[in-house]
Amino acid sequence: MNEHRWLQWAQRIQAIAQTGLTYTKDGYDMERYEELREISIEMMREQTGEPYPIVKELFASEKGYPTPKVDVRGVVFQDGNILMVREKADGKWTLPGGWADIGYTPKEVAVKEIREEAGLDVRAVKLLAALDKKCHPHPPEPYYIYKLFILCEQTGGSPTAGLETSDVAYFGEHELPELSLNRTTESQIRLMFDYLRDPRKEVTLD
Protein backbone atom coordinates (compact mmCIF):
# COMPACT_ATOMS: atom_id res chain seq x y z
CA MET A 1 0.00 0.00 0.00
CA ASN A 2 1.15 3.56 -0.71
CA GLU A 3 2.98 4.68 2.44
CA HIS A 4 1.41 8.12 2.14
CA ARG A 5 -2.16 6.88 1.56
CA TRP A 6 -3.12 8.38 4.93
CA LEU A 7 -2.31 11.82 3.52
CA GLN A 8 -4.63 11.28 0.56
CA TRP A 9 -7.40 10.18 2.94
CA ALA A 10 -6.91 13.24 5.16
CA GLN A 11 -6.92 15.54 2.11
CA ARG A 12 -10.13 13.99 0.78
CA ILE A 13 -11.88 14.20 4.15
CA GLN A 14 -10.81 17.84 4.50
CA ALA A 15 -12.03 18.62 0.95
CA ILE A 16 -15.42 17.00 1.61
CA ALA A 17 -15.76 18.93 4.87
CA GLN A 18 -14.78 22.24 3.28
CA THR A 19 -17.20 21.74 0.39
CA GLY A 20 -20.00 20.83 2.78
CA LEU A 21 -19.34 23.85 5.00
CA THR A 22 -19.42 26.06 1.91
CA TYR A 23 -22.79 24.93 0.58
CA THR A 24 -24.87 23.48 3.40
CA LYS A 25 -27.69 25.51 4.97
CA ASP A 26 -28.62 22.85 7.50
CA GLY A 27 -27.30 23.25 11.05
CA TYR A 28 -27.13 19.50 11.63
CA ASP A 29 -25.08 18.99 8.47
CA MET A 30 -22.85 21.89 9.51
CA GLU A 31 -21.96 20.07 12.72
CA ARG A 32 -21.17 16.87 10.81
CA TYR A 33 -18.90 18.66 8.36
CA GLU A 34 -17.12 20.44 11.21
CA GLU A 35 -16.58 17.03 12.80
CA LEU A 36 -15.13 15.68 9.55
CA ARG A 37 -12.77 18.65 9.38
CA GLU A 38 -11.62 17.97 12.95
CA ILE A 39 -10.95 14.33 12.06
CA SER A 40 -8.80 15.39 9.10
CA ILE A 41 -6.84 17.78 11.32
CA GLU A 42 -6.25 15.05 13.91
CA MET A 43 -5.04 12.68 11.20
CA MET A 44 -2.52 15.26 10.00
CA ARG A 45 -1.45 16.14 13.55
CA GLU A 46 -0.95 12.48 14.47
CA GLN A 47 1.19 11.80 11.41
CA THR A 48 3.26 14.98 11.41
CA GLY A 49 3.65 15.62 15.13
CA GLU A 50 2.92 19.32 14.61
CA PRO A 51 0.79 21.22 17.17
CA TYR A 52 -2.93 21.43 16.49
CA PRO A 53 -3.00 25.23 15.82
CA ILE A 54 -0.28 24.95 13.16
CA VAL A 55 -1.96 22.03 11.40
CA LYS A 56 -5.33 23.78 11.42
CA GLU A 57 -3.86 27.00 10.01
CA LEU A 58 -1.93 25.29 7.22
CA PHE A 59 -4.32 22.49 6.37
CA ALA A 60 -7.87 23.51 7.26
CA SER A 61 -8.17 27.29 7.32
CA GLU A 62 -9.38 27.96 3.77
CA LYS A 63 -13.00 28.58 2.90
CA GLY A 64 -14.96 28.09 -0.29
CA TYR A 65 -14.82 25.20 -2.75
CA PRO A 66 -11.44 23.43 -2.33
CA THR A 67 -9.16 23.35 -5.39
CA PRO A 68 -5.53 22.27 -5.89
CA LYS A 69 -2.70 24.76 -5.43
CA VAL A 70 -0.56 25.34 -8.55
CA ASP A 71 3.25 25.27 -8.57
CA VAL A 72 4.94 26.66 -11.73
CA ARG A 73 8.51 25.68 -12.67
CA GLY A 74 10.57 27.30 -15.43
CA VAL A 75 12.79 25.10 -17.61
CA VAL A 76 15.82 26.74 -19.25
CA PHE A 77 18.54 24.88 -21.16
CA GLN A 78 21.99 26.13 -22.14
CA ASP A 79 24.55 24.03 -24.00
CA GLY A 80 22.71 20.85 -23.07
CA ASN A 81 22.50 21.69 -19.36
CA ILE A 82 19.49 22.70 -17.28
CA LEU A 83 19.18 25.82 -15.11
CA MET A 84 18.79 25.22 -11.38
CA VAL A 85 18.79 27.37 -8.25
CA ARG A 86 19.82 26.58 -4.68
CA GLU A 87 17.04 27.28 -2.18
CA LYS A 88 18.02 29.17 0.96
CA ALA A 89 15.26 27.35 2.83
CA ASP A 90 16.97 23.94 2.69
CA GLY A 91 20.27 24.49 0.85
CA LYS A 92 19.24 22.13 -1.96
CA TRP A 93 18.65 22.61 -5.67
CA THR A 94 15.51 22.90 -7.77
CA LEU A 95 14.16 24.28 -11.00
CA PRO A 96 13.29 27.96 -10.48
CA GLY A 97 9.63 28.52 -9.70
CA GLY A 98 6.96 28.72 -7.02
CA TRP A 99 3.27 29.18 -6.34
CA ALA A 100 1.15 30.64 -9.13
CA ASP A 101 0.17 34.23 -8.31
CA ILE A 102 -3.30 35.69 -8.72
CA GLY A 103 -3.35 38.03 -11.72
CA TYR A 104 -0.51 36.30 -13.58
CA THR A 105 -0.81 33.79 -16.41
CA PRO A 106 1.23 30.57 -16.02
CA LYS A 107 3.75 31.90 -18.58
CA GLU A 108 4.06 35.17 -16.68
CA VAL A 109 4.65 33.30 -13.42
CA ALA A 110 7.48 31.28 -15.01
CA VAL A 111 9.11 34.43 -16.40
CA LYS A 112 8.77 36.26 -13.07
CA GLU A 113 10.12 33.40 -10.97
CA ILE A 114 13.18 32.89 -13.19
CA ARG A 115 13.95 36.60 -13.05
CA GLU A 116 13.55 36.74 -9.25
CA GLU A 117 15.35 33.49 -8.42
CA ALA A 118 18.00 33.25 -11.15
CA GLY A 119 18.47 36.81 -12.47
CA LEU A 120 17.65 35.87 -16.07
CA ASP A 121 15.24 37.50 -18.49
CA VAL A 122 13.40 34.81 -20.42
CA ARG A 123 10.58 34.24 -22.86
CA ALA A 124 8.11 31.48 -22.03
CA VAL A 125 7.82 29.15 -25.01
CA LYS A 126 5.47 26.26 -24.22
CA LEU A 127 4.04 23.96 -21.59
CA LEU A 128 6.01 20.73 -21.22
CA ALA A 129 4.17 18.96 -18.41
CA ALA A 130 1.18 19.30 -16.08
CA LEU A 131 1.72 16.88 -13.21
CA ASP A 132 -0.21 15.86 -10.11
CA LYS A 133 2.23 15.90 -7.21
CA LYS A 134 0.76 12.76 -5.66
CA CYS A 135 1.85 10.76 -8.71
CA HIS A 136 5.53 11.55 -8.14
CA PRO A 137 8.06 10.74 -5.38
CA HIS A 138 7.80 13.98 -3.41
CA PRO A 139 7.75 14.00 0.40
CA PRO A 140 4.21 14.26 1.82
CA GLU A 141 2.68 17.65 2.55
CA PRO A 142 -0.79 18.94 3.44
CA TYR A 143 -1.61 20.72 0.18
CA TYR A 144 -2.94 19.03 -2.94
CA ILE A 145 -0.76 20.37 -5.75
CA TYR A 146 -0.58 20.49 -9.54
CA LYS A 147 2.85 21.26 -11.03
CA LEU A 148 3.32 23.03 -14.38
CA PHE A 149 6.68 22.88 -16.18
CA ILE A 150 7.15 25.60 -18.80
CA LEU A 151 10.00 25.75 -21.30
CA CYS A 152 11.65 29.19 -21.44
CA GLU A 153 14.39 30.77 -23.56
CA GLN A 154 16.89 33.27 -22.16
CA THR A 155 16.69 36.75 -23.67
CA GLY A 156 18.98 38.64 -21.30
CA GLY A 157 20.36 38.98 -17.79
CA SER A 158 23.05 36.91 -16.12
CA PRO A 159 22.85 34.18 -13.46
CA THR A 160 22.28 35.94 -10.15
CA ALA A 161 20.81 34.56 -6.91
CA GLY A 162 17.71 36.23 -5.48
CA LEU A 163 16.05 36.76 -2.11
CA GLU A 164 15.06 33.10 -1.76
CA THR A 165 18.05 31.53 -3.53
CA SER A 166 21.76 31.40 -2.72
CA ASP A 167 23.23 30.13 -5.99
CA VAL A 168 22.45 29.63 -9.68
CA ALA A 169 24.06 27.07 -12.00
CA TYR A 170 23.52 24.79 -14.99
CA PHE A 171 23.77 21.01 -14.61
CA GLY A 172 24.00 18.08 -16.97
CA GLU A 173 21.47 15.27 -16.85
CA HIS A 174 23.93 12.91 -15.16
CA GLU A 175 25.54 15.53 -12.90
CA LEU A 176 22.58 16.62 -10.81
CA PRO A 177 23.18 18.18 -7.37
CA GLU A 178 21.28 17.28 -4.18
CA LEU A 179 17.67 18.12 -4.96
CA SER A 180 15.00 19.90 -2.96
CA LEU A 181 12.61 17.00 -3.39
CA ASN A 182 9.60 18.88 -2.11
CA ARG A 183 9.97 21.10 -5.19
CA THR A 184 11.58 18.98 -7.92
CA THR A 185 12.39 15.29 -8.29
CA GLU A 186 15.12 13.60 -10.33
CA SER A 187 12.55 11.86 -12.51
CA GLN A 188 10.94 15.20 -13.36
CA ILE A 189 14.28 16.71 -14.37
CA ARG A 190 15.05 13.69 -16.53
CA LEU A 191 11.63 14.18 -18.14
CA MET A 192 12.66 17.75 -18.99
CA PHE A 193 15.79 16.41 -20.71
CA ASP A 194 13.51 14.17 -22.79
CA TYR A 195 12.04 17.37 -24.21
CA LEU A 196 15.52 18.70 -24.98
CA ARG A 197 16.24 15.55 -26.99
CA ASP A 198 12.81 15.53 -28.65
CA PRO A 199 11.25 19.02 -28.97
CA ARG A 200 8.19 17.46 -30.63
CA LYS A 201 7.38 15.31 -27.61
CA GLU A 202 3.76 15.77 -26.53
CA VAL A 203 2.86 17.48 -23.26
CA THR A 204 3.04 15.08 -20.31
CA LEU A 205 -0.28 15.10 -18.48
CA ASP A 206 -1.08 13.13 -15.32
Side-chain angles (χ1 to χ4, degrees), residues 24 29 31 48 78 94 103 109 113 131:
T24 188
D29 287 342
E31 290 182 1
T48 63
Q78 182 182 86
T94 180
V109 172
E113 291 289 336
L131 307 181

Side-chain angles (χ1 to χ4, degrees), residues 1 22 57 59-60 76 102 112 117 121 135 139 147 180 204:
M1 187 178 74
T22 298
E57 175 64 24
F59 179 60
V76 181
I102 300 296
K112 180 174 72 71
E117 296 190 349
D121 297 320
C135 300
K147 299 179 67 66
S180 180
T204 301

Side-chain angles (χ1 to χ4, degrees), residues 11-24 29-30 32-38 40 64 66:
Q11 289 172 333
R12 289 173 61 188
I13 293 171
Q14 154 59 16
I16 292 169
Q18 186 173 325
T19 302
L21 290 170
T22 298
Y23 293 111
T24 188
D29 287 342
M30 188 78 71
R32 301 287 75 75
Y33 288 125
E34 288 284 6
E35 185 175 355
L36 279 176
R37 171 169 277 189
E38 288 298 312
S40 72

